[in-house]
């Protein structure tokens, strides 16, 4: 594929991704983040494979940038998902927090 076709696919995928994510209700954002983390793991593996088979310097640099960006996105996604799941946990009651017996 030539560069124009790849750029067209990239721009269209950005628009489709924006439309899909903007239509998801806020209660489904945590499962969506988990799915996105899995996809970013696949992207990371693909970038590593491309970097391993790079023949020229430009391909190697682009692949290494892709590995770096995929890693940052993957780790950031897990951090955000963890923070979102923390919001759903209940707060410890006063008795449990002090090591005492929980009153019901």
């Amino acid at each position: 594929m030539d560069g124009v076709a790849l750029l067209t696919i990239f721009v269209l995928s950005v628009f489709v991704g924006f439309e899909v994510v903007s239509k998801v209700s806020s209660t489904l954002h945590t499962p969506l983040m988990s799915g996105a983390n899995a996809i970013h793991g696949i992207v990371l593996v693909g970038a590593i494979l491309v970097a391993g088979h790079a023949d020229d310097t430009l391909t190697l640099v682009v692949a290494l940038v892709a590995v770096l960006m995929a890693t940052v996105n993957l780790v950031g996604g897990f951090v955000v998902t963890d923070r979102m799941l923390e919001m759903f946990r209940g707060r410890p009651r006063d008795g449990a927090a002090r090591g005492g017996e929980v009153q019901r």
Side-chain angles (χ1 to χ4, degrees):
M1 268 194 232
D2 61 339
V4 175
L6 292 175
L7 182 65
T8 303
I9 291 171
F10 177 73
V11 170
L12 289 176
S13 66
V14 167
F15 283 125
V16 169
F18 180 77
E19 286 296 318
V20 168
V21 171
S22 66
K23 302 285 188 263
V24 173
S25 68
S26 60
T27 56
L28 295 177
H29 277 202
T30 302
L32 183 66
M33 287 288 295
S34 299
N37 289 341
I39 292 171
H40 290 295
I42 295 169
V43 169
L44 179 61
V45 170
I48 290 171
L49 289 175
V50 169
H53 294 286
D55 293 332
D56 57 346
T57 305
L58 178 65
T59 305
L60 181 62
V61 168
V62 170
L64 291 178
V65 169
V67 167
L68 177 69
M69 292 175 72
T71 303
V72 168
N73 208 356
L74 182 67
V75 171
F78 278 114
V79 169
V80 169
T81 301
D82 186 52
R83 290 190 69 184
M84 290 175 76
L85 291 176
E86 286 278 330
M87 293 174 16
F88 291 109
R89 291 190 187 133
R91 294 183 182 183
R93 297 182 185 194
D94 286 342
R98 293 184 208 141
E101 197 172 301
V102 177
Q103 297 184 5
R104 296 179 188 212

